[in-house]
Amino acid sequence: MAAQSESVAASRDTGRNSQDIEDFIYLISHDVRSSVRALLELPNWISEDLEEAGFPVQGQVAASIDLMNRHTSRLDRMLVDLLTFSRIGRMQRVETLSLDVVLDQVLEELDVPGAFDVTRDLKGLEITIGNRDILTLLSALISNAVRHHDKTSGKIHVAALMDGTEVVLTVSDDGPGIAEEFRERIFGAMITLRPRDEVEGSGMGLANVRKIANFYGGTASVVPSVFGKGCCIEVRTTGR
């Protein structure tokens, strides 16, 4: 009994510590982002002031301002994704939602390049999940498929089915795929397999996907793509 009590207490402490860490991430990301938003505007103000003073912004000065904008935008994106990570499973309503309706909303907000053909086979399924978590999940998966494609055009297929009590959601692409040795690593926080100067991204997208899957009693993993090449991320949850 004493050992059991200690185990329960340790579990509660672990949960409390995890909550404290996520609260800290949320507060820091929220407050720091206010300053970053100001830094995003500052280079533009400097450029406008120089232009008005008769000093055209060009050459090395223009390149330096562009570099500042790119890195500040990258930092802002990272803070947004950290905020999203800290809010998974909370600060939202749990609802039963149509996957077709959610996918329509995600595609409208993402504005996927027209050269990418997005198809679906969702079988009219619904899922019970946080109303923001499902948007984060699908947005991250589709953005990942587009961002890491090796061509400017491609195919993306979003599918869903029931496997017992689990909803199985997959997003496949016909891109370059992921080497087997990296298929677990890609779900780590702040992980990018290519330099950020080559592919913009915070490295938090698939970390958010796995955390959402785990929170709702499921898993996230890499499985074979329906296109015979490329990548497919499979997410299983017990929501239905």
Side-chain angles (χ1 to χ4, degrees):
M1 288 295 291
Q4 185 177 16
S5 296
E6 288 178 3
S7 176
V8 170
S11 178
R12 286 176 178 170
D13 286 343
T14 299
R16 192 179 305 114
N17 290 338
S18 176
Q19 185 68 54
D20 289 344
I21 290 170
E22 293 192 359
D23 287 342
F24 179 74
I25 291 173
Y26 176 81
L27 291 171
I28 290 296
S29 300
H30 184 272
D31 290 349
V32 172
R33 191 171 182 235
S34 298
S35 296
V36 171
R37 296 301 299 173
L39 289 174
L40 280 169
E41 298 293 336
L42 189 57
N44 295 326
W45 296 341
I46 292 172
S47 297
E48 291 171 3
D49 289 344
L50 288 172
E51 293 282 357
E52 289 178 3
F55 299 100
V57 178
Q58 54 192 8
Q60 188 57 48
V61 174
S64 295
I65 289 177
D66 180 66
L67 183 63
M68 186 186 302
N69 282 329
R70 190 161 67 250
H71 280 277
T72 308
S73 295
R74 187 178 297 165
L75 177 58
D76 185 59
R77 179 71 257 170
M78 190 175 295
L79 290 169
V80 169
D81 286 344
L82 280 171
L83 280 168
T84 299
F85 185 84
S86 72
R87 290 192 300 233
I88 287 170
R90 56 182 185 156
M91 301 182 184
Q92 60 192 296
R93 297 185 308 277
V94 174
E95 301 179 36
T96 299
L97 302 165
S98 162
L99 285 173
D100 276 300
V101 172
V102 173
L103 180 58
D104 287 340
Q105 183 177 345
V106 167
L107 292 177
E108 183 177 349
E109 293 176 356
L110 280 182
D111 191 24
V112 175
F116 281 85
D117 181 28
V118 181
T119 57
R120 70 180 76 186
D121 181 16
L122 298 175
K123 298 179 172 59
L125 288 176
E126 295 182 333
I127 186 170
T128 301
I129 194 171
N131 62 332
R132 290 205 311 204
D133 284 341
I134 186 59
L135 294 172
T136 297
L137 180 73
L138 276 171
S139 179
L141 291 174
I142 294 171
S143 295
N144 186 74
V146 173
R147 185 181 300 115
H148 296 286
H149 206 288
D150 56 345
K151 296 183 176 63
T152 56
S153 63
K155 298 177 181 178
I156 299 171
H157 185 66
V158 185
L161 56 82
M162 293 300 303
D163 184 7
T165 60
E166 290 185 321
V167 176
V168 183
L169 179 67
T170 57
V171 176
S172 299
D173 64 62
D174 63 345
I178 301 172
E180 189 168 352
E181 62 266 30
F182 298 124
R183 292 182 181 178
E184 184 63 26
R185 185 183 173 198
I186 59 171
F187 293 101
M190 302 292 184
I191 297 296
T192 58
L193 298 183
R194 293 165 60 189
R196 287 188 172 90
D197 287 336
E198 292 182 12
V199 179
E200 285 292 342
S202 66
M204 288 298 297
L206 292 182
N208 286 336
V209 166
R210 172 160 282 181
K211 185 179 179 185
I212 291 169
N214 291 166
F215 184 86
Y216 294 97
T219 59
S221 58
V222 179
V223 298
S225 170
V226 296
F227 297 109
K229 56 170 287 191
C231 176
C232 178
I233 306 295
E234 177 189 85
V235 175
R236 290 174 171 264
T237 77
T238 56
R240 59 174 300 177

